[in-house]
Amino acid sequence: MECQICNRTMQPLFLKHRHWIYGCSECGHQSADVGNPAGHVEQIYSDEYFHGGGAGYSDYLAEKDLLRNHGQRYGRLLQKYMHPGTVFDVGAAAGFVLQGLIDTGWSGRGIEPNLRISEHARSHLNLRVDTGVLESFHTEERFDVVTMIQVVAHFPDLRKALQVASEITCRDGFWLIETWNRNSWVARIFGRHWHEYSPPSVVHWFTPTTLRHLVEPFGFREIGSGRPSKWLNGAHAISLLQYKLGGSIPGRLLAGAGKLIPQNIPLPYLAGDLFWMLFQKQR
Ligand SMILES: [Zn+2]
């Protein structure tokens, strides 16, 4: 496998969920071999991803308020760097994060591969969310900000996706990227058991450095970074943990405890393995 950041040959590291995880000894990037990318996105982001638990969501629509708050926090964060303008939200799902951005003064649209969940954004929230993938998206519109919240780790072909993102970003425009940090303490403690090693839905594992190396050849420069605060609802947190811990003793204990925890209360996402970076187009 070739590294999608520096083009060197990657070495197989370990097998996870029947997929090999590869590491680049030159730049440190890690990717999974998920086979033929054609049809990959449609297969992964089936309705099951949003409602079936496992690596995805136990009930995506139940996360509505938390995701909207997440969008509002980013809407306010972006205002430290620029006046509110237009956004394009990649992987918009049911439109909740986009709605949060709109709540804080932004306007815009998004794209989402899953038909049913994008239909929710259109019919329930009256948002402009196209059904499709960024890699084959085309518009004459240009946006002040392209937001990719927990999205870049899922692109089978990183450069193709970012090429389109670059084309639709206006002069001096921005990219806001949030993804998982494989250099975080939680990733290092858990090693290959880190819960974000969940191919085939997650294909890439970044650090702030490898993300910067990916983005810079597109003419974007980092102007800010940090760690997001994030909340999950109780049902999602427990479903995710059960999936990660599987049939282990903590997993079985949790399955029992899970029945006692109210499903709709927000729980803080404590893992601390997410980071965000803001980049600005230089040319
Ligand atoms: Zn590399």
Side-chain angles (χ1 to χ4, degrees), residues 7 60 64 135 180 191 214:
N7 298 334
Y60 188 82
K64 183 173 91 176
E135 292 89 323
W180 298 280
L214 171 68

Side-chain angles (χ1 to χ4, degrees), residues 35-261:
N36 181 6
H40 171 82
V41 167
E42 288 76 6
Q43 266 172 37
I44 301 300
Y45 306 104
S46 63
D47 294 346
E48 177 79 356
Y49 183 80
F50 292 99
H51 300 285
Y57 291 88
S58 56
D59 183 2
Y60 188 82
L61 299 183
E63 309 263 314
K64 183 173 91 176
D65 295 339
L66 302 169
L67 290 164
R68 190 165 173 167
N69 289 342
H70 202 50
Q72 289 170 352
R73 276 195 295 272
Y74 275 132
R76 288 190 290 268
L77 175 87
L78 288 169
Q79 289 185 44
K80 293 180 185 168
Y81 298 89
M82 71 206 93
H83 290 297
T86 55
V87 292
F88 187 83
D89 189 34
V90 182
F96 301 137
V97 169
L98 179 58
Q99 184 64 59
L101 290 162
I102 290 169
D103 293 341
T104 45
W106 300 83
S107 62
R109 54 187 288 198
I111 192 166
E112 163 56 39
N114 181 276
L115 172 66
R116 260 189 34 196
I117 207 95
S118 56
E119 179 56 31
H120 186 278
R122 293 188 289 269
S123 58
H124 291 259
L125 297 175
N126 206 18
L127 296 174
R128 277 179 79 195
V129 173
D130 286 40
T131 305
V133 295
L134 181 64
E135 292 89 323
S136 53
F137 179 70
H138 181 74
T139 179
E140 295 301 319
E141 277 181 82
R142 297 295 176 264
F143 301 87
D144 297 313
V145 185
V146 175
T147 50
M148 292 176 265
I149 310 296
Q150 296 183 26
V151 164
V152 288
H154 297 292
F155 288 132
D157 187 337
L158 283 171
R159 285 184 185 151
K160 198 170 168 188
L162 292 189
Q163 186 56 45
V164 177
S166 178
E167 284 162 15
I168 64 170
T169 307
C170 71
R171 197 186 160 89
D172 301 327
F174 297 83
W175 285 353
L176 175 64
I177 299 179
E178 180 193 283
T179 191
W180 298 280
N181 182 358
R182 68 164 189 80
N183 253 353
S184 60
W185 64 267
V186 69
R188 284 196 257 184
I189 287 171
F190 283 94
R192 68 182 62 185
H193 302 293
W194 181 35
H195 61 270
E196 289 310 335
Y197 283 126
S198 55
S201 77
V202 180
V203 191
H204 300 282
W205 296 274
F206 295 93
T207 66
T209 305
T210 60
L211 184 63
R212 206 179 289 120
H213 287 162
L214 171 68
V215 161
E216 279 171 353
F218 291 90
F220 284 73
R221 187 172 64 86
E222 180 193 342
I223 58 161
S225 66
R227 293 221 318 238
S229 54
K230 184 172 160 74
W231 296 74
L232 301 173
N233 84 24
H236 182 194
I238 289 161
S239 149
L240 263 183
L241 271 171
Q242 281 174 350
Y243 171 75
K244 312 300 185 193
L245 298 171
S248 66
I249 290 168
R252 289 201 298 273
L253 285 173
L254 192 78
K259 295 191 183 82
L260 306 172
I261 298 176

Side-chain angles (χ1 to χ4, degrees), residues 2-8 10 23-29 210:
E2 192 176 276
C3 175
Q4 292 193 30
I5 294 183
C6 75
N7 298 334
R8 306 291 158 83
M10 300 176 101
C24 176
S25 53
E26 183 69 24
C27 75
H29 186 56
T210 60

